[in-house]
Amino acid sequence: MKLKKVLSAIIVVIMLLTSSGCSLNFFSTETLLKPPALSGKSGEVQEAFNKLMSGKTFLLKTPTKGEYKSSFVLYNIDNDEDEEAIVFYTDSSTDTTVRVAILDCVNRAWVLVSDVKGSGSGVYDVAFPDLDGDKLPEIVISWSLFDTKLTKMLTVYKVTNSGNNAFRVEALANEYFNVKEFLDLNSNGVDDLILVYLDDAAEVQNSYFRAFSIENGGAVVKFSEVLLDSSITSVSSLVSDEIIVRNDSYTRVFVDCLKSDTSIFTEVVTWDMKTLKATREITEPAKNTLRNAKILSQDIDKDGKIEVPVNTKFFTGEKDAFVVLSGIVYNFTMVEWKNISGDKSSEQLKSVYNPLHSYLFLFPWENDVTINFDKIENQTNFCIWNTASKEVEDILFSIKFIENNDKLAKSEDEYEENILSETETGIFVYEITPYGENYGITDEFVKSSFIKV
């Protein structure tokens, strides 16, 4: 038996040694002593990198956010037939700053073609936009900094294959930021680098919206800057859409900003085709779009245009019925969705927000329908409100959250036709009463009006 095991091991080793090429995966003794090796091309790169770093004490670094969450990122950065490999690591023999190694497959073997020092203690994310329109990607690496969690720095790298097994890596720019996005702000057909930066170096914070592009000479140029509201503490979301005005295409950018832990507002920035500058669309956004729930700007009516949520009047009904959770300020909120300049939609939609279960429900009624929360059943009831007697009458329909560990609940199969949404902790289901059916409430209406956030 022992002899058979030895012979089997020898056969495996011979097969590995006689195989070659960058499409195969090899594992050295050193790799096997480390955490489980990667497979495929990433495994090849891992072994090649281990050999290159032989005798050194290094630590691989993994991006914490974004699409690429691996220390070994494969991407075709020079538009040839093969992918290159980007490796993030630190070399403790020098310092703790992250380094970026680029490996290329040359003559069926992975070789080091570039190795540059980065600008942070960790890698936040990596992206490959084409910022100069040459059909070749730049490498944009966002760094986590040593002394702050909110502020980050990014580096825009231009990478060219200079031949002779070498790549030229040029850092075109380093910029501080809090949130970034790649979008065509000035509608010229090429993505721009959009940054929101909260500069708190001075006594009064300056909040900036900045747009960068790469000019023909290869320099990263800030072509527009807008001063935003100084009360921004952080940015929750950055989304954009396009509008057409007099046959011109405009890009609008919606920046959802936290003012405090319990309040949020929205800045809207639009590219002006006449002045060739970015401009703010809302005066005093921290006042005019302030809401006390973390509801983000979105295309609520599915017309391709983004709307901004703002607080509106409270519901008719009993105030105590709007308290979702006693002891904590957890009230239902009525939100109105505002059209911003360029959005010609005539309808201004309203929705109710349940802060305990984090969902929106479109609310087309005025004063004849109200809501209450049943704490025992863990459900929201939509009811007829008698404006004359100021009393709740019939329940039209209800939305209930059933937790996974609720032993008294029906099985999920029994709710199959009435499931609105499924989460890791439970399911949302609805039930329409006979009064609701007579009122005109339908399955389609309930399902299309429910929005999980």
Side-chain angles (χ1 to χ4, degrees):
M1 181 65 73
K2 290 184 178 179
L3 180 59
K4 287 184 179 180
K5 289 184 178 180
V6 171
L7 289 174
S8 298
I10 292 173
I11 291 171
V12 171
V13 171
I14 291 173
M15 291 176 64
L16 290 173
L17 291 174
T18 54
S19 301
S20 62
C22 294
S23 61
L24 298 175
N25 184 18
F26 300 96
F27 301 97
S28 66
T29 304
E30 180 184 7
T31 304
L32 293 174
L33 294 175
K34 294 180 179 295
L38 302 173
S39 61
K41 284 188 177 181
S42 295
E44 294 178 22
V45 176
Q46 184 181 30
E47 165 151 14
F49 188 73
N50 286 342
K51 290 179 178 178
L52 289 169
M53 300 297 290
S54 178
K56 295 183 179 180
T57 303
F58 69 94
L59 178 65
L60 294 174
K61 306 295 285 189
T62 302
T64 57
K65 300 291 183 179
E67 180 180 354
Y68 304 95
K69 294 180 181 178
S70 172
S71 303
F72 302 89
V73 176
L74 297 171
Y75 201 92
N76 189 354
I77 56 179
D78 60 353
N79 206 21
D80 61 4
E81 296 180 354
D82 300 308
E83 294 176 318
E84 286 70 45
I86 300 171
V87 184
F88 303 108
Y89 75 100
T90 57
D91 182 355
S92 60
S93 64
T94 54
D95 56 37
T96 56
T97 303
V98 177
R99 298 190 66 86
V100 184
I102 298 178
L103 282 72
D104 194 14
C105 190
V106 179
N107 296 327
R108 302 170 69 88
W110 288 98
V111 298
L112 182 68
V113 294
S114 179
D115 188 9
V116 297
K117 185 177 181 179
S119 299
S121 58
V123 182
Y124 186 76
D125 66 20
V126 58
F128 301 92
D130 178 10
L131 299 176
D132 55 7
D134 65 352
K135 309 302 181 183
L136 292 173
E138 280 67 55
I139 303 177
V140 178
I141 302 175
S142 300
W143 310 101
S144 302
L145 302 179
F146 296 90
D147 54 354
T148 178
K149 291 184 178 180
L150 292 179
T151 301
K152 297 172 283 291
M153 175 183 283
L154 64 76
T155 305
V156 179
Y157 291 102
K158 185 67 178 177
V159 182
T160 53
N161 190 335
S162 57
N164 298 322
N165 300 338
F167 276 56
R168 181 170 179 263
V169 180
E170 181 182 4
L172 302 183
N174 287 290
E175 293 291 336
Y176 288 106
F177 75 102
N178 294 85
V179 176
K180 76 171 186 305
E181 189 57 79
F182 305 104
L183 56 91
D184 185 7
L185 180 67
N186 54 12
S187 302
N188 67 350
V190 179
D191 276 348
D192 305 307
L193 171 61
I194 307 300
L195 303 180
V196 175
Y197 175 46
L198 312 181
D199 184 1
D200 57 0
E203 291 186 9
V204 178
Q205 175 180 283
N206 289 317
S207 305
Y208 297 100
F209 175 97
R210 291 168 171 168
F212 298 82
S213 64
I214 299 180
E215 293 192 342
N216 294 333
V220 173
V221 176
K222 180 174 64 179
F223 67 87
S224 191
E225 179 176 275
V226 177
L227 192 63
L228 304 178
D229 195 283
S230 61
S231 65
I232 302 173
T233 58
S234 65
V235 177
S236 292
S237 170
L238 193 157
V239 293
S240 65
D241 65 7
E242 278 194 6
I243 55 173
I244 305 297
V245 179
R246 300 186 190 91
N247 296 322
D248 287 328
S249 176
Y250 292 76
T251 298
R252 302 187 303 178
V253 184
F254 297 75
V255 185
D256 288 324
C257 312
L258 282 177
K259 186 174 183 179
S260 68
D261 291 338
T262 58
S263 61
I264 185 172
F265 66 94
T266 301
E267 289 268 13
V268 182
V269 179
T270 300
W271 180 256
D272 191 320
M273 298 294 283
K274 294 182 179 179
T275 63
L276 300 182
K277 294 181 179 179
T279 59
R280 296 170 78 194
E281 291 290 349
I282 303 175
T283 57
E284 298 186 281
K287 174 183 177 181
N288 296 328
T289 67
L290 189 68
R291 58 259 190 200
N292 56 1
K294 196 175 180 180
I295 307 171
L296 303 180
S297 301
Q298 56 190 282
D299 180 11
I300 194 70
D301 56 3
K302 309 303 180 186
D303 67 345
K305 304 294 184 291
I306 294 173
E307 289 79 36
V308 175
V310 298
N311 283 351
T312 186
K313 65 179 182 179
F314 288 102
F315 297 98
T316 55
E318 301 171 0
K319 291 184 178 180
D320 291 342
F322 306 144
V323 178
V324 179
L325 193 63
S326 60
I328 303 176
V329 182
Y330 255 167
N331 294 342
F332 282 103
T333 304
M334 178 73 88
V335 175
E336 185 174 4
W337 296 84
K338 293 288 188 181
N339 297 333
I340 306 302
S341 176
D343 186 349
K344 302 302 181 183
S345 302
S346 58
E347 190 176 19
Q348 296 279 359
L349 294 179
K350 295 178 183 179
S351 63
V352 56
Y353 175 63
N354 183 326
L356 178 62
H357 296 138
S358 297
Y359 68 80
L360 296 163
F361 193 90
L362 297 183
F363 201 87
W365 306 284
E366 286 298 328
N367 299 319
D368 57 335
V369 175
T370 188
I371 57 173
N372 60 48
F373 187 71
D374 188 328
K375 298 178 178 63
I376 297 175
E377 294 294 328
N378 201 21
Q379 71 181 28
T380 304
N381 298 319
F382 291 74
C383 316
I384 291 292
W385 175 254
N386 189 318
T387 56
S389 63
K390 297 187 183 303
E391 292 179 343
V392 171
E393 294 184 346
D394 304 319
I395 296 177
L396 300 175
F397 64 97
S398 59
I399 297 176
K400 180 182 181 67
F401 182 68
I402 303 174
E403 297 182 3
N404 291 335
N405 59 359
D406 188 347
K407 304 299 184 182
L408 300 178
K410 297 180 182 179
S411 68
E412 189 169 322
D413 292 339
E414 294 181 77
Y415 284 112
E416 184 175 359
E417 295 182 357
N418 297 87
I419 293 178
L420 289 170
S421 179
E422 300 181 53
T423 70
E424 293 182 356
T425 58
I427 59 174
F428 289 93
V429 299
Y430 70 94
E431 182 177 359
I432 302 174
T433 67
Y435 299 106
E437 292 177 354
N438 292 333
Y439 191 83
I441 304 298
T442 64
D443 296 312
E444 181 182 358
F445 166 75
V446 177
K447 290 180 178 179
S448 63
S449 299
F450 180 88
I451 304 169
K452 187 74 177 72
V453 295

